[in-house]
Amino acid sequence: MTTSPNDVPIRSADVPDAGPGNNPLSLPRVVIITGMSGAGRRTVAHAMEDLGWFVVDNLPPGLLPQLIETVRRGGQDRLAVGLDVRSREMFDQLPRVLAQLEAQGIRKEICFLEANDEAIVRRQESVRRPLPLQGASNITQAVAKERRMMSKLRADADVVIDTSNTTVHQLSYRIGHIYGSGDDQNTRFLIMSFGFKNGVPVDADMVFDVRFLPNPHWVPHLRPQTGLSVEVSEYVLGQPGAGEFLGLLEALIATVGPGYQREGKLQATVAIGCTGGKHRSTAMSEEFAERLRAKGVQASVLHRDLGRE
């Protein structure tokens, strides 16, 4: 078989037969880190490196098959590759390369980072660097152009993370939740509390509103506390409808969880919101995650807006 330098196949025949977990030359798990410029791709790359992944950033897409072959022969089982749009010609190769990997039976996942225009503009102005596609245009025009280019890749992504209202530490935490538990095929749930006044998380798979519960903000001695305190938690969970609501959420996860696993969805985000993200959503998210863990479901909690009030 003749191939071009950009079409190097992974030769599965080179992989010796071996028992489960005893094959040093098995194909690695491959995660492609991509998304909007300024949305946190490098933060994700650093976080995955800290988790033990073999990470390569700014790789021309056409070199991906060769890299996978090299990593496989080196015995690495987890590879993360950062790709961006700094070269239109190289980025245009990506669909062909991904199709090639799929044809060769290589498992690849796409982690797509995005942020709203305001966040990207603010971040780019703080570092005083132009966007890759900016050229002679202004920054908002460059962002719009990049969104158009990335739309198909975003639609095909396995994980989409909106970092508009996320700190570097919160983003690293989310990456640890998604990619820090080895090759486990069970769906992991991230329970995210948030405040509606700061915007609905656009990357959530399910969004729920707990503003039907009385707000501890109007109880003077509870106002300065958060939903992490025992007193606020007991107040929120003791309200009529709180327990029934959590029971319905548990039943929902018991229904959709197995479906997510059958579809190969490794991570799902359940967002629970109140007005500011300080009291009700925080307490309910903590309790809901604890109930899921008690049933053997992998669940962690992220309080997106706690401390922003």
Side-chain angles (χ1 to χ4, degrees):
M1 178 175 63
T2 301
T3 62
S4 71
N6 289 333
D7 289 305
V8 177
I10 306 297
R11 297 182 295 277
S12 57
D14 290 344
V15 183
D17 292 331
N22 192 34
N23 187 355
L25 293 182
S26 60
L27 294 172
R29 179 182 178 189
V30 179
V31 172
I32 295 172
I33 310 166
T34 188
M36 297 295 297
S37 300
R41 180 174 52 81
R42 289 183 179 174
T43 297
V44 171
H46 292 154
M48 294 188 74
E49 194 169 35
D50 291 341
L51 293 169
W53 287 69
F54 187 87
V55 179
V56 177
D57 201 12
N58 292 332
L59 183 79
L63 298 180
L64 187 54
Q66 291 105 311
L67 176 62
I68 294 174
E69 174 74 358
T70 300
V71 169
R72 179 182 72 83
R73 290 186 176 278
Q76 299 284 344
D77 61 353
R78 296 186 298 170
L79 169 65
V81 180
L83 301 175
D84 65 12
V85 295
R86 65 184 65 243
S87 168
R88 174 63 186 262
E89 291 74 18
M90 288 193 298
F91 190 77
D92 285 344
Q93 299 174 9
L94 188 56
R96 175 183 57 79
V97 173
L98 295 182
Q100 177 189 344
L101 297 183
E102 184 175 352
Q104 295 172 12
I106 297 173
R107 176 187 171 193
K108 51 86 181 167
E109 305 162 41
I110 299 174
C111 176
F112 191 96
L113 288 304
E114 70 174 12
N116 60 38
D117 289 8
E118 180 183 356
I120 292 176
V121 169
R122 183 177 66 250
R123 292 167 187 172
Q124 291 305 119
E125 288 180 343
S126 69
V127 298
R128 299 183 180 179
R129 274 200 314 265
L131 289 170
L133 302 180
Q134 190 166 341
S137 62
N138 62 44
I139 191 169
T140 55
Q141 291 172 326
V143 171
K145 181 179 180 181
E146 189 171 327
R147 285 198 195 282
R148 289 193 297 270
M149 282 183 60
M150 304 291 274
S151 59
K152 177 64 167 61
L153 194 58
R154 185 194 185 286
D156 293 338
D158 300 276
V159 174
V160 176
I161 301 177
D162 179 15
T163 68
S164 302
N165 296 305
T166 301
T167 67
V168 170
H169 299 297
Q170 288 175 334
L171 179 54
S172 296
Y173 177 85
R174 293 190 68 175
I175 294 303
H177 167 77
I178 301 169
Y179 298 112
S181 44
D183 207 30
D184 192 339
Q185 296 302 298
N186 293 322
T187 301
R188 297 178 290 279
F189 287 88
L190 176 68
I191 315 303
M192 179 192 297
S193 72
F194 72 96
F196 278 97
K197 72 177 185 180
N198 296 315
V200 177
V202 299
D203 53 345
D205 296 281
M206 292 173 273
V207 177
F208 299 97
D209 184 354
V210 294
R211 288 176 294 183
F212 69 92
L213 298 172
N215 192 348
H217 176 82
W218 303 116
V219 181
H221 72 283
L222 296 180
R223 181 178 299 180
Q225 302 182 52
T226 74
L228 298 179
S229 74
V230 173
E231 195 170 10
V232 171
S233 179
E234 289 179 346
Y235 176 87
V236 172
L237 296 176
Q239 297 301 321
E244 292 84 350
F245 178 82
L246 290 170
L248 290 171
L249 289 192
E250 288 183 78
L252 177 62
I253 297 303
T255 300
V256 304
Y260 279 159
Q261 287 182 228
R262 289 191 295 270
E263 293 299 313
K265 185 175 177 62
L266 299 180
Q267 191 270 344
T269 299
V270 179
I272 300 176
C274 61
T275 303
K278 180 179 179 179
H279 296 113
R280 292 167 291 181
S281 62
T282 300
M284 294 289 277
S285 294
E286 289 285 343
E287 176 65 17
F288 182 46
E290 186 61 36
R291 291 189 180 200
L292 291 182
R293 288 191 287 262
K295 294 179 178 295
V297 178
Q298 296 185 66
S300 56
V301 185
L302 174 66
H303 300 300
R304 191 193 74 175
D305 296 333
L306 196 60
R308 296 184 64 186
E309 66 280 348

